[in-house]
Amino acid sequence: MKLFKKKQKMTMWQKLFLIASLKIIFLVAVIKPLFFPNFFKNNFKTEDSKKDFMINQLTNNSLKNADKPKKH
């Protein structure tokens, strides 16, 4: 009788694991593209324009942050 209960608990955990896995797959496959579209694909046509944008963003932000005093 005890073996049957242990086996039954394992199947319950397997079902819960399956449900959790399906939820994660759903979130990644369906929800992510809706809320986080591909910024570069939508706004830039060529690789050079993507590179230029990234270089400008990185250098402009680093220059702005260099002027600010650091808080300790």
Side-chain angles (χ1 to χ4, degrees):
M1 204 50 148
K2 288 183 182 180
L3 291 175
F4 180 71
K5 287 184 180 180
K6 285 184 181 179
K7 193 173 187 180
Q8 202 173 26
K9 286 183 183 179
M10 285 188 72
T11 57
M12 179 186 68
W13 286 110
Q14 288 173 347
K15 288 178 185 177
L16 290 174
F17 184 76
L18 178 67
I19 291 169
S21 300
L22 290 174
K23 283 184 177 183
I24 291 171
I25 291 170
F26 176 76
L27 287 173
V28 171
V30 176
I31 301 296
K32 185 180 177 257
L34 292 175
F35 289 104
F36 302 104
N38 191 344
F39 177 76
F40 288 111
K41 187 175 182 182
N42 295 337
N43 296 323
F44 302 102
K45 301 286 184 209
T46 64
E47 289 293 320
D48 289 334
S49 60
K50 291 177 190 178
K51 291 175 188 175
D52 291 338
F53 175 77
M54 284 304 298
I55 289 170
N56 287 334
Q57 289 297 310
L58 291 171
T59 55
N60 289 341
N61 288 337
S62 64
L63 291 175
K64 288 177 187 174
N65 291 335
D67 295 338
K68 295 180 183 177
K70 294 183 180 178
K71 295 180 182 177
H72 294 284

Coordinates of all heavy atoms in Angstrom, one line a residue:
M1 N 0.8 -1.2 0.0 CA 0.0 0.0 0.0 C 0.9 1.3 0.0 O 0.5 2.2 -0.7 CB -0.9 -0.1 1.2 CG -2.2 0.8 1.1 SD -3.0 0.4 -0.4 CE -4.7 0.7 0.1
K2 N 2.0 1.3 0.8 CA 2.9 2.4 0.8 C 3.5 2.7 -0.5 O 3.7 3.8 -0.9 CB 3.9 2.3 1.9 CG 3.4 2.3 3.3 CD 4.5 2.2 4.3 CE 3.9 2.3 5.7 NZ 4.9 2.2 6.7
L3 N 3.9 1.7 -1.3 CA 4.5 1.9 -2.6 C 3.5 2.6 -3.5 O 3.9 3.4 -4.3 CB 4.9 0.5 -3.2 CG 6.0 -0.2 -2.5 CD1 6.2 -1.6 -3.1 CD2 7.3 0.6 -2.6
F4 N 2.3 2.3 -3.4 CA 1.3 2.9 -4.3 C 1.2 4.4 -4.0 O 1.1 5.2 -4.9 CB -0.1 2.2 -4.1 CG -1.2 2.8 -5.0 CD1 -1.2 2.6 -6.4 CD2 -2.2 3.6 -4.5 CE1 -2.1 3.1 -7.2 CE2 -3.1 4.2 -5.3 CZ -3.1 3.9 -6.6
K5 N 1.2 4.8 -2.8 CA 1.1 6.2 -2.4 C 2.4 7.0 -2.9 O 2.3 8.1 -3.4 CB 1.0 6.4 -0.9 CG -0.4 6.0 -0.4 CD -0.5 6.3 1.1 CE -1.9 5.9 1.5 NZ -2.1 6.1 3.0
K6 N 3.6 6.4 -2.8 CA 4.8 7.0 -3.3 C 4.7 7.2 -4.8 O 5.1 8.2 -5.3 CB 6.0 6.2 -2.9 CG 6.4 6.3 -1.4 CD 7.7 5.6 -1.1 CE 8.0 5.7 0.3 NZ 9.3 4.9 0.6
K7 N 4.2 6.2 -5.5 CA 4.1 6.3 -6.9 C 3.1 7.3 -7.3 O 3.3 8.1 -8.3 CB 3.7 4.9 -7.5 CG 3.9 4.8 -8.9 CD 3.6 3.4 -9.4 CE 4.0 3.2 -10.9 NZ 3.8 1.9 -11.3
Q8 N 2.1 7.4 -6.6 CA 1.0 8.4 -6.8 C 1.6 9.8 -6.6 O 1.3 10.7 -7.4 CB -0.2 8.2 -5.9 CG -1.4 8.8 -6.4 CD -2.6 8.3 -5.5 OE1 -2.4 8.1 -4.4 NE2 -3.8 8.3 -6.1
K9 N 2.4 10.1 -5.6 CA 3.0 11.4 -5.4 C 4.0 11.7 -6.5 O 4.1 12.9 -6.9 CB 3.8 11.4 -4.0 CG 2.8 11.4 -2.8 CD 3.6 11.5 -1.5 CE 2.7 11.5 -0.3 NZ 3.5 11.5 0.9
M10 N 4.7 10.8 -7.0 CA 5.6 11.1 -8.1 C 4.9 11.5 -9.3 O 5.3 12.4 -10.0 CB 6.5 9.8 -8.4 CG 7.6 9.6 -7.3 SD 8.7 8.3 -7.8 CE 9.6 9.1 -9.1
T11 N 3.8 10.9 -9.6 CA 3.0 11.3 -10.8 C 2.5 12.7 -10.6 O 2.4 13.5 -11.5 CB 1.9 10.3 -11.1 OG1 1.0 10.2 -10.0 CG2 2.5 9.0 -11.5
M12 N 2.1 13.0 -9.4 CA 1.6 14.4 -9.1 C 2.7 15.4 -9.4 O 2.5 16.4 -10.0 CB 1.1 14.5 -7.7 CG 0.6 15.9 -7.3 SD 0.2 16.2 -5.6 CE 1.8 16.1 -4.9
W13 N 3.9 15.1 -8.9 CA 5.1 16.1 -9.1 C 5.4 16.1 -10.6 O 5.8 17.2 -11.1 CB 6.3 15.7 -8.3 CG 6.1 16.0 -6.8 CD1 5.9 15.1 -5.8 CD2 6.0 17.3 -6.3 NE1 5.7 15.8 -4.6 CE2 5.8 17.2 -4.9 CE3 6.1 18.6 -6.8 CZ2 5.6 18.3 -4.1 CZ3 6.0 19.7 -6.0 CH2 5.7 19.5 -4.6
Q14 N 5.3 15.0 -11.3 CA 5.6 15.0 -12.7 C 4.6 15.9 -13.5 O 4.9 16.6 -14.4 CB 5.5 13.6 -13.3 CG 6.7 12.8 -12.9 CD 6.6 11.3 -13.3 OE1 5.5 10.9 -13.6 NE2 7.7 10.6 -13.2
K15 N 3.3 15.8 -13.0 CA 2.3 16.7 -13.7 C 2.5 18.1 -13.4 O 2.4 19.0 -14.3 CB 0.9 16.3 -13.2 CG 0.4 14.9 -13.7 CD -1.0 14.6 -13.1 CE -1.4 13.2 -13.6 NZ -2.7 12.8 -13.0
L16 N 2.9 18.4 -12.1 CA 3.2 19.8 -11.8 C 4.4 20.3 -12.6 O 4.4 21.5 -13.1 CB 3.5 20.0 -10.3 CG 2.2 19.8 -9.4 CD1 2.6 19.8 -8.0 CD2 1.2 20.9 -9.7
F17 N 5.4 19.5 -12.7 CA 6.6 19.9 -13.5 C 6.2 20.1 -15.0 O 6.7 21.0 -15.6 CB 7.7 18.8 -13.4 CG 9.0 19.1 -14.1 CD1 9.8 20.0 -13.5 CD2 9.3 18.5 -15.3 CE1 11.0 20.3 -14.2 CE2 10.4 18.9 -16.0 CZ 11.3 19.8 -15.4
L18 N 5.4 19.3 -15.5 CA 4.9 19.4 -16.9 C 4.1 20.8 -17.1 O 4.4 21.5 -18.0 CB 4.0 18.3 -17.3 CG 3.4 18.3 -18.7 CD1 4.5 18.2 -19.7 CD2 2.4 17.2 -18.9
I19 N 3.3 21.1 -16.1 CA 2.5 22.3 -16.2 C 3.5 23.5 -16.1 O 3.3 24.5 -16.9 CB 1.5 22.4 -15.1 CG1 0.4 21.3 -15.3 CG2 0.8 23.7 -14.9 CD1 -0.6 21.1 -14.2
A20 N 4.4 23.5 -15.2 CA 5.4 24.6 -15.1 C 6.2 24.7 -16.4 O 6.4 25.8 -16.8 CB 6.3 24.4 -13.9
S21 N 6.6 23.6 -16.9 CA 7.4 23.7 -18.2 C 6.6 24.3 -19.3 O 7.1 25.1 -20.1 CB 7.9 22.3 -18.6 OG 8.7 21.7 -17.6
L22 N 5.3 23.9 -19.4 CA 4.5 24.4 -20.5 C 4.3 25.9 -20.3 O 4.2 26.7 -21.3 CB 3.1 23.7 -20.5 CG 3.2 22.2 -21.0 CD1 1.8 21.6 -20.8 CD2 3.7 22.2 -22.4
K23 N 4.1 26.4 -19.0 CA 4.0 27.8 -18.8 C 5.2 28.6 -19.2 O 5.1 29.6 -19.8 CB 3.7 28.1 -17.3 CG 2.3 27.8 -16.9 CD 2.1 28.1 -15.4 CE 0.7 27.9 -15.0 NZ 0.4 28.3 -13.6
I24 N 6.4 28.1 -18.9 CA 7.6 28.7 -19.3 C 7.8 28.8 -20.8 O 8.1 29.8 -21.4 CB 8.8 28.0 -18.6 CG1 8.8 28.3 -17.1 CG2 10.1 28.5 -19.2 CD1 9.8 27.5 -16.4
I25 N 7.5 27.7 -21.5 CA 7.5 27.6 -22.9 C 6.5 28.7 -23.5 O 6.9 29.4 -24.5 CB 7.3 26.2 -23.5 CG1 8.4 25.3 -23.1 CG2 7.0 26.2 -25.0 CD1 8.2 23.8 -23.3
F26 N 5.3 28.7 -23.0 CA 4.3 29.7 -23.4 C 4.8 31.1 -23.3 O 4.7 31.9 -24.2 CB 3.0 29.5 -22.7 CG 2.0 30.5 -23.0 CD1 1.3 30.4 -24.2 CD2 1.7 31.5 -22.2 CE1 0.3 31.3 -24.6 CE2 0.7 32.5 -22.5 CZ 0.0 32.4 -23.7
L27 N 5.4 31.4 -22.1 CA 5.9 32.8 -21.9 C 7.0 33.1 -22.9 O 7.0 34.2 -23.4 CB 6.4 32.9 -20.4 CG 5.3 32.9 -19.4 CD1 6.0 32.9 -18.0 CD2 4.5 34.2 -19.5
V28 N 7.9 32.3 -23.1 CA 9.0 32.6 -24.0 C 8.6 32.6 -25.4 O 9.0 33.5 -26.2 CB 10.2 31.5 -23.8 CG1 11.2 31.7 -24.8 CG2 10.8 31.7 -22.4
A29 N 7.8 31.7 -25.8 CA 7.4 31.6 -27.3 C 6.3 32.6 -27.7 O 6.3 33.1 -28.8 CB 6.9 30.2 -27.6
V30 N 5.4 32.9 -26.8 CA 4.2 33.8 -27.2 C 4.3 35.2 -26.6 O 4.2 36.2 -27.4 CB 2.9 33.1 -26.8 CG1 1.7 33.9 -27.1 CG2 2.8 31.7 -27.5
I31 N 4.5 35.3 -25.4 CA 4.4 36.6 -24.7 C 5.7 37.5 -25.0 O 5.5 38.7 -25.3 CB 4.3 36.4 -23.2 CG1 3.1 35.6 -22.8 CG2 4.3 37.7 -22.5 CD1 1.7 36.2 -23.2
K32 N 6.8 36.9 -25.0 CA 8.1 37.7 -25.3 C 8.0 38.4 -26.6 O 8.3 39.6 -26.6 CB 9.3 36.8 -25.2 CG 10.6 37.6 -25.3 CD 11.8 36.6 -25.2 CE 13.0 37.4 -25.3 NZ 13.6 37.3 -26.6
P33 N 7.7 37.8 -27.7 CA 7.7 38.6 -29.0 C 6.6 39.7 -29.0 O 6.8 40.7 -29.6 CB 7.4 37.6 -30.0 CG 7.8 36.3 -29.4 CD 7.6 36.4 -28.0
L34 N 5.6 39.5 -28.2 CA 4.5 40.6 -28.2 C 5.0 41.8 -27.4 O 4.7 42.9 -27.8 CB 3.2 40.0 -27.6 CG 2.5 38.9 -28.4 CD1 1.3 38.4 -27.6 CD2 2.1 39.5 -29.7
F35 N 5.6 41.6 -26.3 CA 6.0 42.7 -25.5 C 7.4 43.2 -25.7 O 7.7 44.4 -25.3 CB 5.9 42.3 -24.0 CG 4.4 42.2 -23.6 CD1 3.9 41.0 -23.4 CD2 3.6 43.3 -23.4 CE1 2.5 40.9 -23.0 CE2 2.3 43.2 -23.0 CZ 1.8 42.0 -22.8
F36 N 8.3 42.4 -26.3 CA 9.7 42.8 -26.6 C 10.0 42.6 -28.0 O 10.7 41.6 -28.3 CB 10.6 42.0 -25.6 CG 10.3 42.2 -24.2 CD1 9.7 41.2 -23.5 CD2 10.7 43.4 -23.5 CE1 9.4 41.4 -22.1 CE2 10.4 43.6 -22.2 CZ 9.8 42.6 -21.5
P37 N 9.5 43.4 -28.9 CA 9.9 43.2 -30.3 C 11.3 43.5 -30.6 O 12.0 44.1 -29.8 CB 9.0 44.3 -31.0 CG 8.7 45.3 -30.0 CD 8.7 44.6 -28.7
N38 N 11.8 43.0 -31.7 CA 13.2 43.1 -32.1 C 13.4 44.6 -32.5 O 13.1 45.0 -33.6 CB 13.6 42.1 -33.2 CG 15.0 42.1 -33.4 OD1 15.8 42.9 -33.0 ND2 15.4 41.0 -34.1
F39 N 14.1 45.3 -31.7 CA 14.3 46.8 -31.9 C 15.1 47.0 -33.2 O 14.8 47.8 -34.0 CB 15.0 47.4 -30.7 CG 15.3 48.9 -30.9 CD1 14.4 49.8 -30.9 CD2 16.6 49.2 -31.2 CE1 14.7 51.2 -31.0 CE2 17.0 50.6 -31.3 CZ 16.0 51.5 -31.3
F40 N 16.2 46.3 -33.3 CA 17.1 46.5 -34.5 C 16.5 46.0 -35.8 O 16.7 46.7 -36.8 CB 18.4 45.7 -34.3 CG 19.3 46.3 -33.2 CD1 19.5 45.7 -32.0 CD2 19.9 47.5 -33.4 CE1 20.3 46.3 -31.1 CE2 20.7 48.1 -32.5 CZ 20.9 47.5 -31.3
K41 N 15.8 45.0 -35.8 CA 15.1 44.5 -37.0 C 14.1 45.5 -37.5 O 13.9 45.7 -38.7 CB 14.5 43.1 -36.8 CG 14.0 42.5 -38.0 CD 13.5 41.1 -37.7 CE 13.0 40.4 -38.9 NZ 12.5 39.0 -38.6
N42 N 13.4 46.1 -36.6 CA 12.3 47.0 -36.9 C 12.8 48.4 -37.3 O 12.2 49.1 -38.1 CB 11.3 47.2 -35.8 CG 10.6 45.9 -35.5 OD1 10.5 45.0 -36.3 ND2 10.1 45.8 -34.3
N43 N 14.0 48.8 -36.8 CA 14.4 50.2 -37.0 C 15.6 50.4 -37.9 O 15.9 51.5 -38.3 CB 14.7 50.8 -35.6 CG 13.5 50.9 -34.8 OD1 12.4 51.2 -35.3 ND2 13.7 50.7 -33.5
F44 N 16.3 49.3 -38.2 CA 17.5 49.5 -39.1 C 17.5 48.5 -40.2 O 17.1 47.3 -40.0 CB 18.8 49.3 -38.2 CG 18.9 50.2 -37.1 CD1 18.5 49.9 -35.8 CD2 19.2 51.6 -37.3 CE1 18.6 50.7 -34.7 CE2 19.3 52.4 -36.2 CZ 19.0 52.0 -35.0
K45 N 17.9 48.9 -41.4 CA 17.9 48.1 -42.5 C 19.2 47.3 -42.7 O 19.3 46.2 -43.2 CB 17.6 48.9 -43.8 CG 16.3 49.6 -43.8 CD 15.1 48.7 -43.9 CE 13.8 49.5 -44.0 NZ 12.7 48.8 -43.5
T46 N 20.3 48.0 -42.5 CA 21.7 47.4 -42.8 C 22.4 47.2 -41.5 O 22.1 47.8 -40.4 CB 22.5 48.4 -43.7 OG1 22.7 49.6 -42.9 CG2 21.8 48.7 -45.0
E47 N 23.4 46.3 -41.6 CA 24.3 46.1 -40.4 C 25.1 47.3 -40.0 O 25.4 47.5 -38.9 CB 25.3 44.9 -40.8 CG 24.6 43.6 -40.9 CD 24.1 43.1 -39.5 OE1 24.8 43.3 -38.5 OE2 23.0 42.5 -39.5
D48 N 25.5 48.1 -41.0 CA 26.3 49.3 -40.7 C 25.5 50.3 -39.9 O 26.0 50.9 -39.0 CB 26.8 49.9 -42.0 CG 27.8 49.1 -42.7 OD1 28.6 48.4 -42.0 OD2 28.0 49.3 -43.9
S49 N 24.2 50.5 -40.2 CA 23.4 51.4 -39.4 C 23.2 50.9 -38.0 O 23.2 51.7 -37.1 CB 22.1 51.6 -40.1 OG 21.3 50.4 -40.2
K50 N 23.1 49.6 -37.8 CA 23.0 49.0 -36.5 C 24.3 49.2 -35.7 O 24.3 49.6 -34.5 CB 22.8 47.5 -36.6 CG 21.4 47.1 -37.1 CD 21.3 45.6 -37.2 CE 20.1 45.1 -37.9 NZ 20.0 43.7 -38.1
K51 N 25.4 49.0 -36.4 CA 26.7 49.2 -35.7 C 26.9 50.7 -35.3 O 27.4 51.0 -34.2 CB 27.9 48.8 -36.6 CG 27.9 47.3 -36.8 CD 29.0 46.9 -37.8 CE 29.0 45.5 -38.2 NZ 29.9 45.1 -39.3
D52 N 26.6 51.6 -36.2 CA 26.7 53.0 -35.9 C 25.8 53.5 -34.8 O 26.3 54.2 -33.9 CB 26.3 53.9 -37.2 CG 27.3 53.7 -38.3 OD1 28.5 53.4 -38.0 OD2 26.9 54.0 -39.5
F53 N 24.6 52.9 -34.7 CA 23.7 53.3 -33.6 C 24.3 52.8 -32.3 O 24.3 53.5 -31.3 CB 22.4 52.6 -33.8 CG 21.4 52.8 -32.7 CD1 20.8 54.0 -32.5 CD2 21.2 51.8 -31.8 CE1 19.9 54.2 -31.4 CE2 20.3 51.9 -30.7 CZ 19.7 53.1 -30.5
M54 N 24.8 51.5 -32.3 CA 25.4 51.0 -31.0 C 26.6 51.8 -30.6 O 26.8 52.1 -29.4 CB 25.7 49.5 -31.2 CG 24.5 48.6 -31.2 SD 23.5 48.8 -29.7 CE 24.7 48.3 -28.4
I55 N 27.5 52.1 -31.5 CA 28.7 52.9 -31.2 C 28.3 54.2 -30.6 O 28.9 54.7 -29.6 CB 29.6 53.0 -32.4 CG1 30.2 51.7 -32.8 CG2 30.7 54.1 -32.2 CD1 31.0 51.6 -34.1
N56 N 27.4 54.9 -31.2 CA 26.9 56.2 -30.7 C 26.3 56.1 -29.3 O 26.6 56.9 -28.5 CB 25.9 56.8 -31.7 CG 26.6 57.4 -32.9 OD1 27.8 57.7 -32.9 ND2 25.8 57.4 -34.0
Q57 N 25.5 55.1 -29.1 CA 24.9 54.9 -27.8 C 25.9 54.6 -26.7 O 25.8 55.2 -25.6 CB 23.8 53.8 -27.9 CG 22.6 54.1 -28.6 CD 21.8 55.2 -28.0 OE1 21.5 55.2 -26.8 NE2 21.5 56.2 -28.8
L58 N 26.8 53.7 -27.0 CA 27.8 53.4 -26.0 C 28.8 54.6 -25.7 O 29.1 54.8 -24.6 CB 28.6 52.2 -26.5 CG 27.9 50.9 -26.5 CD1 28.7 49.8 -27.2 CD2 27.5 50.4 -25.1
T59 N 29.2 55.3 -26.7 CA 30.1 56.4 -26.5 C 29.4 57.6 -25.9 O 30.0 58.2 -25.0 CB 30.9 56.8 -27.8 OG1 29.9 57.1 -28.8 CG2 31.8 55.7 -28.3
N60 N 28.2 57.9 -26.3 CA 27.5 59.0 -25.8 C 27.2 58.8 -24.3 O 27.3 59.7 -23.5 CB 26.2 59.3 -26.5 CG 26.5 59.9 -27.9 OD1 27.6 60.4 -28.1 ND2 25.6 59.8 -28.8
N61 N 26.7 57.6 -24.0 CA 26.4 57.3 -22.6 C 27.6 57.3 -21.7 O 27.6 57.7 -20.5 CB 25.6 56.0 -22.5 CG 24.2 56.1 -23.0 OD1 23.7 57.1 -23.1 ND2 23.7 54.9 -23.4
S62 N 28.7 56.8 -22.2 CA 29.9 56.7 -21.4 C 30.5 58.1 -21.2 O 31.0 58.5 -20.1 CB 31.0 55.8 -22.0 OG 31.4 56.4 -23.2
L63 N 30.4 59.0 -22.1 CA 30.8 60.4 -22.0 C 29.9 61.2 -21.0 O 30.4 61.9 -20.2 CB 30.8 61.1 -23.3 CG 31.9 60.6 -24.3 CD1 31.7 61.3 -25.7 CD2 33.3 60.9 -23.8
K64 N 28.6 60.9 -21.1 CA 27.7 61.6 -20.1 C 28.0 61.2 -18.7 O 28.0 61.9 -17.8 CB 26.3 61.3 -20.5 CG 25.8 62.0 -21.8 CD 24.4 61.6 -22.1 CE 24.0 62.2 -23.4 NZ 22.7 61.7 -23.8
N65 N 28.2 59.9 -18.5 CA 28.5 59.3 -17.2 C 29.8 59.7 -16.6 O 30.0 59.8 -15.4 CB 28.3 57.8 -17.2 CG 26.9 57.4 -17.4 OD1 26.0 58.1 -17.1 ND2 26.7 56.2 -17.9
A66 N 30.8 60.0 -17.5 CA 32.1 60.4 -17.1 C 32.1 61.8 -16.4 O 32.9 62.1 -15.6 CB 33.1 60.3 -18.2
D67 N 31.2 62.7 -16.9 CA 31.1 64.0 -16.4 C 30.4 64.1 -15.0 O 30.7 65.0 -14.3 CB 30.3 64.9 -17.4 CG 31.0 65.0 -18.7 OD1 32.2 64.9 -18.8 OD2 30.3 65.3 -19.7
K68 N 29.6 63.1 -14.7 CA 28.9 63.1 -13.4 C 29.8 62.6 -12.3 O 30.6 61.7 -12.5 CB 27.7 62.2 -13.5 CG 26.6 62.7 -14.5 CD 25.5 61.7 -14.5 CE 24.5 62.1 -15.5 NZ 23.3 61.2 -15.6
P69 N 29.8 63.2 -11.1 CA 30.5 62.7 -10.0 C 29.9 61.4 -9.5 O 28.7 61.3 -9.5 CB 30.4 63.9 -8.9 CG 29.2 64.6 -9.3 CD 29.1 64.5 -10.8
K70 N 30.8 60.5 -9.0 CA 30.3 59.3 -8.5 C 29.8 59.4 -7.1 O 30.4 60.1 -6.3 CB 31.4 58.2 -8.6 CG 31.8 57.9 -10.0 CD 32.9 56.8 -10.0 CE 33.3 56.5 -11.4 NZ 34.4 55.5 -11.5
K71 N 28.7 58.7 -6.8 CA 28.2 58.7 -5.5 C 28.8 57.6 -4.7 O 28.8 56.5 -5.2 CB 26.7 58.6 -5.5 CG 26.0 59.8 -6.1 CD 24.5 59.6 -6.2 CE 23.8 60.7 -6.9 NZ 22.4 60.5 -6.9
H72 N 29.2 57.8 -3.5 CA 29.8 56.8 -2.6 C 28.9 56.5 -1.5 O 28.3 57.2 -0.9 CB 31.2 57.1 -2.2 CG 32.2 57.2 -3.3 ND1 32.7 56.1 -3.9 CD2 32.7 58.3 -3.9 CE1 33.5 56.4 -4.8 NE2 33.6 57.8 -4.9

